[in-house]
């Protein structure tokens, strides 16, 4: 009370001079308000270009949809039935690439289509997603001299998917025919966002050279991206004209981002989308995955197999089997220390274990080994994340173990048991130092883990576990 009373004289002295000009200030404020509103009205309504009308329609549609959705009980958590998948495919490559989609597609559970340039002349596999034939795109311009006109067709998948008029859609998710999606994690990720608002969600390329050439504000299509229904409703109205405006752009994902930028919606980046714009061995990335749910993997035809001495399809089946045991824990990176031996142990769940016969710092353990090169120039840098070189001295490298088996254990709250066995490549030189010998005697690791509580994802995003 004393503080309040002591301020009263000062309040009076400060405001009294302004009171003299109050009528004038009110007039100025009214004029400014009218001018501002008029300017907004002009920019929003008077320009008859489609993308300007789209901005207004988006506002109106989003608000209308939200009221209607809440009345219809739209507060229910997002599940896989709320997602429509649009897969960019080709008749020419489907039989060579279909094993990627068939790994994650679940008949009568997931819904969507593979979009093809023409009707296939071979029997369509029962295990593949159903297909649709894309509209003719010959009327559209494409002037990128080093690209392919198929980018136009793939860019229009979002429009053609929307125009199917499917019910109960919250999200459209785009991907390529060589993209693996981890649908349970995708559902968890999208569930964080209000699907009644306009969202454009995805990830960048790992190679900086690709981001410089294409864009840092673009969701790379191979890694997959998600567009909320309200944004799709606006995007489809301007997409065809927009594709012609961006005729010089190389890829479908560039064209989509260019159109979305006209609407004014920025990219929401999520670390679980992986374009895999690298060459060589992807081990370093997979063994040091960021704290984020694994959502997608792309470009796996262009890298070495993720498990040694296996084909890529078999490697992916092995990884996916572990993923199915506990989806949220897949590739989650953690590490611990054995102080009795002064050892460090790094675990990429469902994939690999690294045993260091010394105490490594947390910063070292969280940094990915540089086992790969950049996408275009096959260089050792730069990447969009920290890397560390692999030493040529075998005594300065960890001992590697790869996933051997994964199983779920029953009980009141189930757990998983994953086993990792030591991997020795014949060409590798071995460390013969005496203090290294005890670690070399460890032939396998058994990792027991409780079911991952998916609610932790919201905590890690908001609080970083602190």
């Amino acid at each position: 009370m004393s503080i309040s009373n002591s301020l009263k004289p000062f309040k009076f002295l400060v405001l009294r001079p302004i009171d003299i000009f109050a009528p004038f200030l009110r007039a100025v404020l009214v004029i400014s308000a009218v001018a501002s509103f008029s300017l907004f009205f002009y920019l929003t309504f008077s320009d008859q270009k489609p993308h300007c009308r789209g901005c207004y329609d988006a506002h109106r549609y989003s608000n209308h949809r939200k009221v209607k959705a809440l009345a219809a009980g739209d507060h229910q958590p997002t599940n896989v039935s709320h997602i429509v998948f649009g897969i960019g495919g080709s008749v020419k490559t489907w039989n060579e690439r279909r094993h990627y989609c068939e790994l994650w597609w679940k008949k009568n559970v997931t819904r969507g289509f593979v979009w093809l340039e023409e009707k296939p002349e071979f029997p369509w596999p029962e295990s593949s997603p159903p297909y649709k034939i894309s509209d003719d795109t010959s009327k559209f311009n494409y002037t990128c001299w080093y690209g392919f006109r198929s980018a136009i067709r793939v860019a229009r998948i979002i429009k053609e998917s929307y125009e199917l008029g499917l019910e109960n859609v919250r999200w459209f998710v785009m991907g390529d025919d060589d993209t693996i999606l981890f649908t349970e994690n995708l559902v968890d990720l999208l569930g964080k966002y209000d699907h009644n608002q306009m969202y454009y969600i995805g990830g960048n390329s790992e190679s900086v050279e690709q981001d410089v050439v294409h864009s840092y504000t673009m969701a790379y299509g191979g890694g997959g991206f998600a567009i909320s229904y309200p944004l799709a409703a606006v995007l489809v109205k301007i997409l065809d004209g927009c594709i012609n405006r961006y005729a010089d752009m190389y890829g479908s994902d560039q064209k989509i981002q260019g159109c979305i930028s006209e609407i004014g919606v920025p990219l929401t980046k999520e670390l679980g989308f992986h374009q895999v714009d690298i060459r060589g061995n992807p081990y370093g990335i997979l063994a040091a995955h960021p704290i984020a749910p694994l959502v997608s993997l792309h470009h796996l035809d262009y890298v070495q197999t993720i498990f040694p001495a296996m084909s890529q399809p078999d490697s992916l089946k092995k990884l996916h089997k572990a993923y199915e045991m506990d989806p949220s824990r897949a590739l989650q990176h953690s590490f611990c220390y054995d102080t009795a031996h002064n050892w460090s142990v790094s675990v990429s769940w469902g994939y690999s274990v690294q045993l260091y016969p010394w105490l490594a710092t947390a910063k070292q353990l969280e940094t990915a080994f540089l086992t790969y090169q950049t996408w275009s120039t096959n260089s050792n840098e730069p990447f969009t994340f920290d890397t560390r070189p692999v030493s040529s001295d075998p005594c300065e490298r960890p001992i590697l173990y790869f996933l051997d088996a994964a199983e779920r254990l029953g009980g009141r709250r189930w757990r998983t048991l994953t086993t990792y066995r030591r991997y020795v490549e014949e060409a590798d030189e071995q460390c013969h130092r005496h203090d290294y010998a005890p670690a070399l005697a460890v032939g396998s690791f058994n990792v027991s883990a409780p079911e991952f509580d998916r609610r932790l994802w919201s905590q890690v995003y908001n609080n970083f576990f602190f």
Side-chain angles (χ1 to χ4, degrees):
M1 181 62 70
S2 60
I3 294 177
S4 177
N5 289 337
S6 67
L7 289 178
K8 286 183 178 179
F10 293 98
K11 182 178 181 181
F12 174 81
L13 291 172
V14 171
L15 292 181
R16 175 61 74 185
I18 297 179
D19 290 343
I20 299 173
F21 301 99
F24 173 75
L25 290 175
R26 280 196 294 269
V28 171
L29 289 174
V30 169
I31 294 171
S32 299
V34 172
S36 298
F37 179 77
S38 299
L39 180 61
F40 173 79
F41 185 88
Y42 174 80
L43 292 176
T44 306
F45 300 104
S46 67
D47 190 335
Q48 294 304 305
K49 294 179 180 179
H51 63 277
C52 290
R53 291 203 306 272
C55 295
Y56 169 66
D57 289 343
H59 248 327
R60 182 176 61 185
Y61 177 81
S62 180
N63 292 336
H64 171 72
R65 174 180 165 83
K66 189 169 186 179
V67 171
K68 183 178 179 181
L70 291 175
D74 196 46
H75 59 276
Q76 295 179 351
T78 294
N79 60 60
V80 72
S81 71
H82 296 128
I83 302 173
V84 171
F85 295 94
I87 304 165
S90 171
V91 169
K92 300 178 180 64
T93 60
W94 184 252
N95 282 328
E96 290 74 36
R97 290 184 167 186
R98 65 186 179 92
H99 64 274
Y100 289 115
C101 289
E102 291 175 351
L103 190 63
W104 60 268
W105 184 263
K106 295 179 182 178
K107 189 175 181 179
N108 299 324
V109 176
T110 45
R111 61 173 174 161
F113 301 93
V114 179
W115 292 85
L116 304 173
E117 74 278 24
E118 60 186 7
K119 185 175 181 179
E121 296 182 354
F122 52 86
W124 192 253
E126 285 289 328
S127 53
S128 294
Y131 72 85
K132 293 279 187 183
I133 308 301
S134 299
D135 292 339
D136 177 45
T137 59
S138 58
K139 66 179 181 180
F140 293 94
N141 296 326
Y142 187 81
T143 60
C144 181
W145 64 269
Y146 58 91
F148 304 93
R149 283 191 59 87
S150 58
I152 299 172
R153 182 176 66 83
V154 175
R156 296 187 77 253
I157 287 176
I158 178 65
K159 178 180 173 69
E160 295 183 81
S161 296
Y162 177 89
E163 290 176 344
L164 293 174
L166 302 177
E167 295 182 354
N168 199 26
V169 179
R170 296 183 180 182
W171 298 93
F172 293 93
V173 174
M174 304 294 109
D176 286 353
D177 56 2
D178 60 342
T179 301
I180 295 178
L181 293 170
F182 298 85
T183 52
E184 287 83 358
N185 290 344
L186 175 65
V187 168
D188 285 345
L189 184 147
L190 296 180
K192 296 190 310 170
Y193 298 97
D194 181 359
H195 58 274
N196 294 299
Q197 304 302 317
M198 292 191 290
Y199 277 105
Y200 167 50
I201 304 172
N204 287 157
S205 170
E206 294 83 358
S207 292
V208 168
E209 61 190 27
Q210 290 293 98
D211 292 320
V212 170
V213 170
H214 299 294
S215 178
Y216 279 99
T217 61
M218 177 184 85
Y220 281 66
F225 57 86
I227 292 177
S228 63
Y229 194 96
L231 177 54
V234 179
L235 179 61
V236 298
K237 295 178 181 179
I238 69 169
L239 187 62
D240 285 351
C242 187
I243 286 175
N244 277 330
R245 284 196 291 279
Y246 296 108
D248 61 325
M249 287 187 170
Y250 169 80
S252 60
D253 43 10
Q254 274 186 298
K255 297 175 187 296
I256 290 290
Q257 190 276 328
C259 300
I260 291 178
S261 69
E262 294 188 1
I263 300 171
V265 176
L267 171 64
T268 299
K269 296 181 181 180
E270 286 285 355
L271 297 176
F273 291 91
H274 297 289
Q275 177 74 4
V276 195
D277 272 349
I278 60 172
R279 306 284 183 170
N281 190 344
Y283 175 81
I285 291 178
L286 300 180
H289 194 275
I291 300 177
L294 172 64
V295 175
S296 69
L297 292 172
H298 179 50
H299 272 162
L300 296 175
D301 278 344
Y302 299 91
V303 294
Q304 297 174 18
T305 59
I306 63 175
F307 286 105
M310 296 183 70
S311 68
Q312 196 69 292
D314 288 340
S315 291
L316 295 172
K317 289 177 182 177
K318 187 173 187 176
L319 179 67
H320 203 270
K321 181 179 179 181
Y323 158 80
E324 290 175 340
M325 298 295 104
D326 192 352
S328 298
R329 197 175 289 280
L331 292 191
Q332 293 313 295
H333 185 212
S334 58
F335 46 84
C336 59
Y337 298 94
D338 179 355
T339 54
H341 296 89
N342 284 340
W343 290 350
S344 308
V345 179
S346 174
V347 178
S348 175
W349 190 92
Y351 179 56
S352 175
V353 169
Q354 299 171 0
L355 172 58
Y356 297 76
W358 64 87
L359 294 179
T361 65
K363 178 59 179 174
Q364 290 173 319
L365 296 176
E366 75 175 6
T367 303
F369 274 121
L370 188 57
T371 61
Y372 37 81
Q373 294 78 43
T374 58
W375 175 255
S376 296
T377 62
N378 290 83
S379 303
N380 288 329
E381 61 179 358
F383 294 95
T384 57
F385 47 86
D386 294 334
T387 62
R388 54 178 168 145
V390 179
S391 175
S392 59
D393 183 352
C395 297
E396 294 182 0
R397 297 196 298 261
I399 304 168
L400 302 185
Y401 302 77
F402 283 96
L403 178 71
D404 183 61
E407 60 178 320
R408 288 176 62 162
L409 306 177
R412 187 172 61 88
R413 185 183 178 190
W414 59 263
R415 303 173 65 85
T416 55
L417 177 64
T418 49
T419 302
Y420 307 81
R421 298 202 177 277
R422 184 182 166 200
Y423 171 71
V424 180
E425 191 171 359
E426 294 181 1
D428 280 355
E429 181 184 353
Q430 300 299 307
C431 178
H432 300 292
R433 209 169 60 198
H434 72 278
D435 60 332
Y436 215 89
L440 290 173
V442 178
S444 64
F445 276 88
N446 292 328
V447 178
S448 177
E451 173 191 4
F452 191 94
D453 186 349
R454 297 183 176 185
R455 292 173 298 179
L456 290 175
W457 287 128
S458 60
Q459 293 182 25
V460 70
Y461 290 126
N462 297 329
N463 305 315
F464 295 97
F465 284 131
F466 290 105

